[in-house]
Amino acid sequence: MAEFTMELNDEQKEVRDWLHGFAADVMRPAAAEWDEREETPWPVIQEAAKVGIYSLDFYAQQYFDATGLGIPMAMEELFWGDAGIALSIVGTGLAAVGVLANGTEEQIGTWIPQMYGDPSDVKIAAFCSSEPDAGSDVASMRTRAVYDEAKDEWVINGTKTWATNGGIANVHVVVASVDPELGSRGHASFIVPPGTPGLTQGQKFKKHGIRASHTAEVVLDGVRVPGSCLLGGKEKLDERLARAREKARKGGERVKNAAMATFEASRPAVGAMAVGTARAAYEVALDYARTREQFGRPIIDNQGVAFQLADMRTRIDAARLLVWRASWMAVNGRPFEAAEGSMSKLFASETAKEVTAQAIQILGGNGYTREYPVERMHRDAAIYTIFEGTSEIQRLVISRTISGMPIR
């Protein structure tokens, strides 16, 4: 078990500086263009693939970093560059985490490489969990998967929404109910291979922020996938469902479901994304305050501005520490006894919204225009308190965890 540390080692610093250079030299110059176009920035993803950032090997190295700091460090630097482009680069990772959290070794080895492709033929993946009537309330999921024993196939029907890369992905990971009576305990995750009949893209959303990231509905109409596409396998699913039914009869505590396992593993990473956006806005505001003069002196000499910057920096550093702690705990198998993962996501998300708003205020009228990036950063920051569990849901998880109440 690695000891918790707040100091990156030499190798981590080298990776951080490499990512920072890519974010500064490739992502930032393209940020405004792809935000306006509201399209997936394929050329930037391909550049990331060419240098090794968009690859299974890179994310595996960060994911298995014994200190737990590899992923949050990478997320912070990329989202410092631009949140929309960064989400297009890392969006495949949520589907990959879904497979890592629930799949067999064979499934991991088969499907994750197909999610990324290679630099000459880049692929992407999508994780599909939310539905029009089942966002935070995952127990209300209506997408159904029914097993056709004669053909050893699962038949999936339903509509997913808010899916990053939905409909344009090479591989889709879909969460569906296999036993509606068990609510969220009756869910399972399935791989939908490329070109599977019945999967189509529904509405593509025009969003307030992260507009360079493709977000759409995914419609599943009689989608048939082989039995081998059930993550974890049917034997494991049957055992889990049997335990869930037994606990339901006894009124026992909830059983962790597939979607929740994915979100628990990814929430500190989302917190790191928020830290990156907040840091970017803070740095713009700090530089502006040092160089912008009013009444014959830099506006940072104004205590009102200086104190805002002090609060911004303090919140960013505190958010990073919460993210790093949760990431270290997750990698080293420490239980989240006080919902530390949700704490990190909650605080970092709220920090990003507050810091980007303060950055606009410091820049004044300039901050409200698209001539400066803080306007875009503020729009981008709004998503962190919504996706992968709203701030309200994080507070619910934290409060129920510390009180000993079940999390449904």
Side-chain angles (χ1 to χ4, degrees), residues 145-167:
V146 178
Y147 185 56
D148 183 342
E149 188 171 0
K151 295 184 177 180
D152 186 27
E153 292 180 339
W154 289 90
V155 185
I156 308 173
N157 287 281
T159 299
K160 295 297 182 179
T161 193
W162 311 123
T164 298
N165 298 333

mmCIF file of all heavy atoms in Angstrom, residues 145-167:
data_model
loop_
_atom_site.group_PDB
_atom_site.id
_atom_site.type_symbol
_atom_site.label_atom_id
_atom_site.label_comp_id
_atom_site.label_asym_id
_atom_site.label_seq_id
_atom_site.Cartn_x
_atom_site.Cartn_y
_atom_site.Cartn_z
ATOM 1 N N ALA A 145 -33.473 -5.603 -20.379
ATOM 2 C CA ALA A 145 -32.687 -6.623 -21.065
ATOM 3 C C ALA A 145 -33.283 -7.978 -20.699
ATOM 4 O O ALA A 145 -33.385 -8.321 -19.516
ATOM 5 C CB ALA A 145 -31.221 -6.552 -20.665
ATOM 6 N N VAL A 146 -33.696 -8.722 -21.701
ATOM 7 C CA VAL A 146 -34.338 -10.023 -21.489
ATOM 8 C C VAL A 146 -33.466 -11.101 -22.127
ATOM 9 O O VAL A 146 -33.038 -10.959 -23.277
ATOM 10 C CB VAL A 146 -35.751 -10.048 -22.094
ATOM 11 C CG1 VAL A 146 -36.387 -11.417 -21.905
ATOM 12 C CG2 VAL A 146 -36.621 -8.964 -21.459
ATOM 13 N N TYR A 147 -33.234 -12.171 -21.385
ATOM 14 C CA TYR A 147 -32.348 -13.231 -21.871
ATOM 15 C C TYR A 147 -33.108 -14.210 -22.746
ATOM 16 O O TYR A 147 -34.142 -14.763 -22.345
ATOM 17 C CB TYR A 147 -31.726 -13.971 -20.686
ATOM 18 C CG TYR A 147 -30.703 -15.007 -21.080
ATOM 19 C CD1 TYR A 147 -29.602 -14.665 -21.850
ATOM 20 C CD2 TYR A 147 -30.847 -16.336 -20.660
ATOM 21 C CE1 TYR A 147 -28.649 -15.615 -22.204
ATOM 22 C CE2 TYR A 147 -29.896 -17.292 -20.998
ATOM 23 C CZ TYR A 147 -28.802 -16.919 -21.778
ATOM 24 O OH TYR A 147 -27.864 -17.858 -22.133
ATOM 25 N N ASP A 148 -32.601 -14.415 -23.961
ATOM 26 C CA ASP A 148 -33.129 -15.422 -24.885
ATOM 27 C C ASP A 148 -32.235 -16.646 -24.752
ATOM 28 O O ASP A 148 -31.177 -16.745 -25.379
ATOM 29 C CB ASP A 148 -33.107 -14.876 -26.321
ATOM 30 C CG ASP A 148 -33.710 -15.840 -27.330
ATOM 31 O OD1 ASP A 148 -33.841 -17.036 -27.009
ATOM 32 O OD2 ASP A 148 -34.032 -15.399 -28.459
ATOM 33 N N GLU A 149 -32.681 -17.590 -23.907
ATOM 34 C CA GLU A 149 -31.836 -18.737 -23.579
ATOM 35 C C GLU A 149 -31.547 -19.599 -24.797
ATOM 36 O O GLU A 149 -30.435 -20.134 -24.941
ATOM 37 C CB GLU A 149 -32.505 -19.575 -22.488
ATOM 38 C CG GLU A 149 -31.616 -20.671 -21.937
ATOM 39 C CD GLU A 149 -32.222 -21.345 -20.716
ATOM 40 O OE1 GLU A 149 -33.341 -20.954 -20.307
ATOM 41 O OE2 GLU A 149 -31.560 -22.252 -20.166
ATOM 42 N N ALA A 150 -32.512 -19.728 -25.710
ATOM 43 C CA ALA A 150 -32.336 -20.586 -26.881
ATOM 44 C C ALA A 150 -31.183 -20.118 -27.762
ATOM 45 O O ALA A 150 -30.461 -20.927 -28.350
ATOM 46 C CB ALA A 150 -33.631 -20.642 -27.691
ATOM 47 N N LYS A 151 -30.999 -18.805 -27.837
ATOM 48 C CA LYS A 151 -29.948 -18.250 -28.690
ATOM 49 C C LYS A 151 -28.758 -17.725 -27.898
ATOM 50 O O LYS A 151 -27.787 -17.244 -28.488
ATOM 51 C CB LYS A 151 -30.525 -17.117 -29.545
ATOM 52 C CG LYS A 151 -31.582 -17.565 -30.537
ATOM 53 C CD LYS A 151 -32.051 -16.397 -31.416
ATOM 54 C CE LYS A 151 -33.056 -16.851 -32.447
ATOM 55 N NZ LYS A 151 -33.512 -15.719 -33.301
ATOM 56 N N ASP A 152 -28.830 -17.814 -26.571
ATOM 57 C CA ASP A 152 -27.802 -17.227 -25.708
ATOM 58 C C ASP A 152 -27.547 -15.775 -26.108
ATOM 59 O O ASP A 152 -26.425 -15.350 -26.357
ATOM 60 C CB ASP A 152 -26.499 -18.021 -25.754
ATOM 61 C CG ASP A 152 -25.464 -17.498 -24.750
ATOM 62 O OD1 ASP A 152 -25.872 -16.917 -23.732
ATOM 63 O OD2 ASP A 152 -24.250 -17.634 -25.020
ATOM 64 N N GLU A 153 -28.643 -15.005 -26.152
ATOM 65 C CA GLU A 153 -28.570 -13.589 -26.488
ATOM 66 C C GLU A 153 -29.411 -12.781 -25.507
ATOM 67 O O GLU A 153 -30.394 -13.286 -24.942
ATOM 68 C CB GLU A 153 -29.084 -13.331 -27.906
ATOM 69 C CG GLU A 153 -28.206 -13.895 -29.007
ATOM 70 C CD GLU A 153 -28.772 -13.615 -30.388
ATOM 71 O OE1 GLU A 153 -29.991 -13.348 -30.501
ATOM 72 O OE2 GLU A 153 -28.000 -13.668 -31.360
ATOM 73 N N TRP A 154 -29.027 -11.540 -25.318
ATOM 74 C CA TRP A 154 -29.818 -10.594 -24.534
ATOM 75 C C TRP A 154 -30.489 -9.623 -25.496
ATOM 76 O O TRP A 154 -29.846 -9.110 -26.415
ATOM 77 C CB TRP A 154 -28.933 -9.826 -23.550
ATOM 78 C CG TRP A 154 -28.448 -10.672 -22.412
ATOM 79 C CD1 TRP A 154 -27.311 -11.411 -22.364
ATOM 80 C CD2 TRP A 154 -29.102 -10.847 -21.151
ATOM 81 N NE1 TRP A 154 -27.202 -12.052 -21.160
ATOM 82 C CE2 TRP A 154 -28.292 -11.719 -20.388
ATOM 83 C CE3 TRP A 154 -30.275 -10.363 -20.591
ATOM 84 C CZ2 TRP A 154 -28.634 -12.104 -19.089
ATOM 85 C CZ3 TRP A 154 -30.610 -10.745 -19.293
ATOM 86 C CH2 TRP A 154 -29.790 -11.607 -18.561
ATOM 87 N N VAL A 155 -31.772 -9.366 -25.271
ATOM 88 C CA VAL A 155 -32.538 -8.442 -26.102
ATOM 89 C C VAL A 155 -32.794 -7.178 -25.286
ATOM 90 O O VAL A 155 -33.411 -7.235 -24.210
ATOM 91 C CB VAL A 155 -33.877 -9.061 -26.555
ATOM 92 C CG1 VAL A 155 -34.591 -8.104 -27.518
ATOM 93 C CG2 VAL A 155 -33.637 -10.417 -27.222
ATOM 94 N N ILE A 156 -32.309 -6.053 -25.785
ATOM 95 C CA ILE A 156 -32.357 -4.803 -25.025
ATOM 96 C C ILE A 156 -33.271 -3.806 -25.721
ATOM 97 O O ILE A 156 -33.153 -3.571 -26.934
ATOM 98 C CB ILE A 156 -30.948 -4.184 -24.883
ATOM 99 C CG1 ILE A 156 -29.957 -5.227 -24.341
ATOM 100 C CG2 ILE A 156 -30.984 -2.961 -23.971
ATOM 101 C CD1 ILE A 156 -28.515 -4.754 -24.322
ATOM 102 N N ASN A 157 -34.180 -3.202 -24.944
ATOM 103 C CA ASN A 157 -35.083 -2.169 -25.447
ATOM 104 C C ASN A 157 -35.129 -1.012 -24.461
ATOM 105 O O ASN A 157 -35.232 -1.230 -23.244
ATOM 106 C CB ASN A 157 -36.504 -2.723 -25.632
ATOM 107 C CG ASN A 157 -36.614 -3.655 -26.814
ATOM 108 O OD1 ASN A 157 -36.696 -3.222 -27.957
ATOM 109 N ND2 ASN A 157 -36.611 -4.963 -26.547
ATOM 110 N N GLY A 158 -35.071 0.205 -24.994
ATOM 111 C CA GLY A 158 -35.160 1.384 -24.131
ATOM 112 C C GLY A 158 -34.504 2.588 -24.772
ATOM 113 O O GLY A 158 -34.008 2.527 -25.903
ATOM 114 N N THR A 159 -34.519 3.697 -24.048
ATOM 115 C CA THR A 159 -33.902 4.936 -24.520
ATOM 116 C C THR A 159 -33.005 5.504 -23.437
ATOM 117 O O THR A 159 -33.433 5.658 -22.281
ATOM 118 C CB THR A 159 -34.970 5.987 -24.895
ATOM 119 O OG1 THR A 159 -35.782 5.478 -25.948
ATOM 120 C CG2 THR A 159 -34.310 7.289 -25.360
ATOM 121 N N LYS A 160 -31.777 5.790 -23.799
ATOM 122 C CA LYS A 160 -30.830 6.421 -22.894
ATOM 123 C C LYS A 160 -30.653 7.886 -23.286
ATOM 124 O O LYS A 160 -30.831 8.263 -24.454
ATOM 125 C CB LYS A 160 -29.478 5.701 -22.958
ATOM 126 C CG LYS A 160 -29.527 4.265 -22.462
ATOM 127 C CD LYS A 160 -29.898 4.195 -20.994
ATOM 128 C CE LYS A 160 -29.902 2.774 -20.482
ATOM 129 N NZ LYS A 160 -30.241 2.723 -19.025
ATOM 130 N N THR A 161 -30.278 8.698 -22.324
ATOM 131 C CA THR A 161 -30.087 10.120 -22.617
ATOM 132 C C THR A 161 -28.823 10.629 -21.932
ATOM 133 O O THR A 161 -28.235 9.940 -21.091
ATOM 134 C CB THR A 161 -31.309 10.943 -22.166
ATOM 135 O OG1 THR A 161 -31.240 12.257 -22.727
ATOM 136 C CG2 THR A 161 -31.396 11.039 -20.652
ATOM 137 N N TRP A 162 -28.396 11.812 -22.316
ATOM 138 C CA TRP A 162 -27.194 12.449 -21.762
ATOM 139 C C TRP A 162 -25.960 11.562 -21.925
ATOM 140 O O TRP A 162 -25.080 11.566 -21.067
ATOM 141 C CB TRP A 162 -27.374 12.825 -20.288
ATOM 142 C CG TRP A 162 -28.611 13.560 -19.961
ATOM 143 C CD1 TRP A 162 -29.569 13.216 -19.071
ATOM 144 C CD2 TRP A 162 -29.047 14.812 -20.541
ATOM 145 N NE1 TRP A 162 -30.584 14.139 -19.051
ATOM 146 C CE2 TRP A 162 -30.289 15.140 -19.951
ATOM 147 C CE3 TRP A 162 -28.530 15.671 -21.511
ATOM 148 C CZ2 TRP A 162 -31.007 16.278 -20.280
ATOM 149 C CZ3 TRP A 162 -29.252 16.809 -21.846
ATOM 150 C CH2 TRP A 162 -30.457 17.103 -21.225
ATOM 151 N N ALA A 163 -25.888 10.819 -23.005
ATOM 152 C CA ALA A 163 -24.762 9.903 -23.207
ATOM 153 C C ALA A 163 -23.635 10.617 -23.951
ATOM 154 O O ALA A 163 -23.797 11.020 -25.101
ATOM 155 C CB ALA A 163 -25.205 8.684 -23.999
ATOM 156 N N THR A 164 -22.498 10.772 -23.279
ATOM 157 C CA THR A 164 -21.305 11.313 -23.933
ATOM 158 C C THR A 164 -20.861 10.336 -25.012
ATOM 159 O O THR A 164 -20.682 9.155 -24.751
ATOM 160 C CB THR A 164 -20.174 11.517 -22.912
ATOM 161 O OG1 THR A 164 -20.601 12.464 -21.921
ATOM 162 C CG2 THR A 164 -18.919 12.049 -23.585
ATOM 163 N N ASN A 165 -20.721 10.843 -26.226
ATOM 164 C CA ASN A 165 -20.371 10.043 -27.410
ATOM 165 C C ASN A 165 -21.507 9.130 -27.853
ATOM 166 O O ASN A 165 -21.309 8.257 -28.707
ATOM 167 C CB ASN A 165 -19.111 9.207 -27.192
ATOM 168 C CG ASN A 165 -17.881 10.044 -26.915
ATOM 169 O OD1 ASN A 165 -17.798 11.195 -27.346
ATOM 170 N ND2 ASN A 165 -16.924 9.486 -26.201
ATOM 171 N N GLY A 166 -22.691 9.301 -27.297
ATOM 172 C CA GLY A 166 -23.813 8.431 -27.619
ATOM 173 C C GLY A 166 -24.180 8.456 -29.097
ATOM 174 O O GLY A 166 -24.374 9.521 -29.682
ATOM 175 N N GLY A 167 -24.288 7.290 -29.676
ATOM 176 C CA GLY A 167 -24.704 7.172 -31.070
ATOM 177 C C GLY A 167 -23.577 7.232 -32.067
ATOM 178 O O GLY A 167 -23.698 6.702 -33.169
#
